[in-house]
């Protein structure tokens, strides 16, 4: 996804960024019930007319039905400069970071020749039990990031900025107040909690609903409970197939347009 330098102090570590998670969500296509053709979405204006991409602009609503128009050049002028450096500005204790700040997770893998510097940073952070805080640019967007050691590899977690966190105080009116808890009630709660304390093993928690959905799909497919879409639009499995089909279509079209040669008498 990204190649660059992981920097702390005067030490630069060439690294490559890889995703540390993968989505397992199951998605469905929407089909028309009568013939099972795929549903398509069109962009239309308030009058119902379809709008081509060439006529669509970005607008920010400043008040009802009043917009500030933002052009691509406006955004390009203020976009963060592309950088290949993740510079750690601070080291903090892991326990000081609220979990609400964490977003997406990635692996940072050393490039060739960077093994020693990478191992130095990995071991140093592990022994000090600290997390590096840094900023970096990915796909023209600036991110705050937490750099930390996990399972003998350096991970990077993108973080939300402070103004993106909803303060708990905003929900005070929904929280219980003036609740009286007896010593007996607290004692029983603590006893129950103590009996459930164990080491965290993420593999023991499975997405049961997703397993049931997959089983249902497999059962239906096994019983041949599937349909053929009436959508005439062909769908190609790979790029080469799509290119070959396009070339064949062009040749066929050119053949139709070519003038017919009159037959010469024998």
């Amino acid at each position: 996804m990204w190649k660059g330098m992981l920097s702390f102090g005067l030490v630069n570590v060439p690294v490559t960024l890889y995703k540390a998670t993968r989505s397992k969500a199951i998605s469905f296509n929407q089909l028309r019930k009568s013939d099972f053709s795929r549903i398509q979405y069109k962009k239309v204006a308030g009058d119902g007319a379809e709008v081509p991409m060439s006529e669509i602009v970005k607008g920010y609503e400043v008040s009802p039905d009043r917009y500030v128009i933002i052009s691509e050049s406006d955004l390009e002028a203020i976009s963060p400069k592309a950088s290949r450096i993740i510079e750690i500005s601070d080291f903090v204790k892991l326990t000081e970071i609220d979990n609400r700040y964490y977003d997406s997770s990635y692996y940072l893998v050393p490039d060739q020749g960077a093994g020693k510097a990478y191992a130095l940073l990995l071991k140093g952070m592990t022994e000090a039990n600290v997390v590096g805080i840094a900023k970096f640019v990915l796909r023209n967007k600036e991110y705050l990031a937490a750099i930390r050691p996990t399972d003998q590899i350096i991970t990077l977690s993108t973080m939300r900025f402070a103004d993106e966190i909803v303060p708990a105080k905003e929900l005070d009116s929904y929280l219980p107040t003036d609740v009286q808890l007896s010593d007996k009630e607290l004692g029983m709660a603590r006893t129950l909690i103590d009996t459930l304390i164990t080491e965290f093993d993420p593999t023991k928690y499975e997405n049961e609903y997703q397993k049931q959905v997959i089983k249902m799909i497999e059962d239906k497919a096994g019983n041949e409970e599937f349909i053929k879409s009436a959508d005439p639009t062909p769908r190609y499995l790979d790029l080469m197939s799509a290119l070959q089909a396009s070339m064949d279509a062009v040749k066929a079209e050119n053949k139709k347009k070519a003038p017919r040669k009159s037959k010469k008498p024998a």
Side-chain angles (χ1 to χ4, degrees):
M1 294 184 60
W2 185 95
K3 275 181 174 286
M5 293 284 185
L6 177 58
S7 172
F8 65 107
L10 299 177
V11 179
N12 291 320
V13 187
V15 291
T16 301
L17 188 74
Y18 293 92
K19 277 191 173 182
T21 59
R22 60 171 64 96
S23 175
K24 303 288 283 188
I26 297 174
S27 61
F28 297 96
N29 294 316
Q30 291 188 330
L31 310 175
R32 185 166 58 189
K33 188 176 182 179
S34 60
D35 59 4
F36 305 112
S37 59
R38 285 281 294 272
I39 300 298
Q40 298 180 356
Y41 295 93
K42 296 181 179 180
K43 296 185 177 181
V44 297
D47 57 4
E50 186 176 355
V51 184
M53 283 299 299
S54 59
E55 295 184 19
I56 296 177
V57 297
K58 289 184 173 70
Y60 184 85
E61 189 173 24
V62 293
S63 61
D65 297 326
R66 294 183 65 240
Y67 300 88
V68 173
I69 303 302
I70 306 297
S71 68
E72 292 300 326
S73 58
D74 291 331
L75 294 173
E76 289 174 2
I78 61 171
S79 63
K81 302 300 179 186
S83 173
R84 290 295 169 186
I85 298 180
I86 302 174
E87 185 171 0
I88 297 175
S89 58
D90 303 286
F91 286 104
V92 301
K93 292 293 184 182
L94 177 61
T95 53
E96 294 179 2
I97 301 178
D98 190 315
N99 288 335
R100 292 175 295 177
Y101 283 93
Y102 292 122
D103 196 0
S104 300
S105 297
Y106 302 86
Y107 291 126
L108 284 171
V109 177
D111 285 347
Q112 189 172 4
K116 188 170 184 178
Y118 183 92
L120 177 67
L121 177 59
L122 177 63
K123 189 171 180 60
M125 286 195 298
T126 301
E127 291 184 352
N129 193 27
V130 294
V131 177
I133 305 298
K135 283 186 179 181
F136 77 111
V137 177
L138 178 64
R139 300 194 188 101
N140 297 322
K141 182 179 177 181
E142 185 178 59
Y143 290 89
L144 183 67
I147 315 295
R148 55 180 175 172
T150 308
D151 293 336
Q152 302 304 310
I153 192 171
I154 295 177
T155 62
L156 180 150
S157 296
T158 55
M159 302 176 69
R160 298 176 178 89
F161 288 94
D163 59 358
E164 296 178 288
I165 304 299
V166 177
K169 290 182 179 180
E170 292 185 13
L171 303 176
D172 279 351
S173 60
Y174 298 98
L175 302 178
T177 56
D178 301 326
V179 176
Q180 301 296 322
L181 299 175
S182 67
D183 292 340
K184 184 177 180 180
E185 290 170 330
L186 284 172
M188 291 179 64
R190 288 169 185 158
T191 300
L192 176 59
I193 291 171
D194 287 342
T195 61
L196 297 175
I197 291 177
T198 184
E199 292 185 0
F200 177 59
D201 178 11
T203 60
K204 68 184 285 189
Y205 308 102
E206 297 185 352
N207 189 333
E208 298 296 336
Y209 173 72
Q210 179 173 280
K211 288 169 63 177
Q212 291 296 323
V213 173
I214 292 173
K215 184 179 184 304
M216 176 187 65
I217 293 172
E218 290 175 344
D219 289 345
K220 281 181 173 288
N223 294 327
E224 297 186 351
E225 291 186 24
F226 51 88
I227 51 87
K228 184 177 181 180
S229 173
D231 190 347
T233 305
R235 307 186 190 285
Y236 301 104
L237 297 179
D238 56 63
L239 179 60
M240 289 303 296
S241 298
L243 291 172
Q244 185 62 53
S246 300
M247 291 172 63
D248 292 343
V250 171
K251 288 178 181 178
E253 187 66 25
N254 290 338
K255 192 173 182 180
K256 288 181 182 179
K257 294 179 180 179
R260 294 184 177 179
K261 294 182 180 180
S262 59
K263 293 183 177 181
K264 293 182 179 181

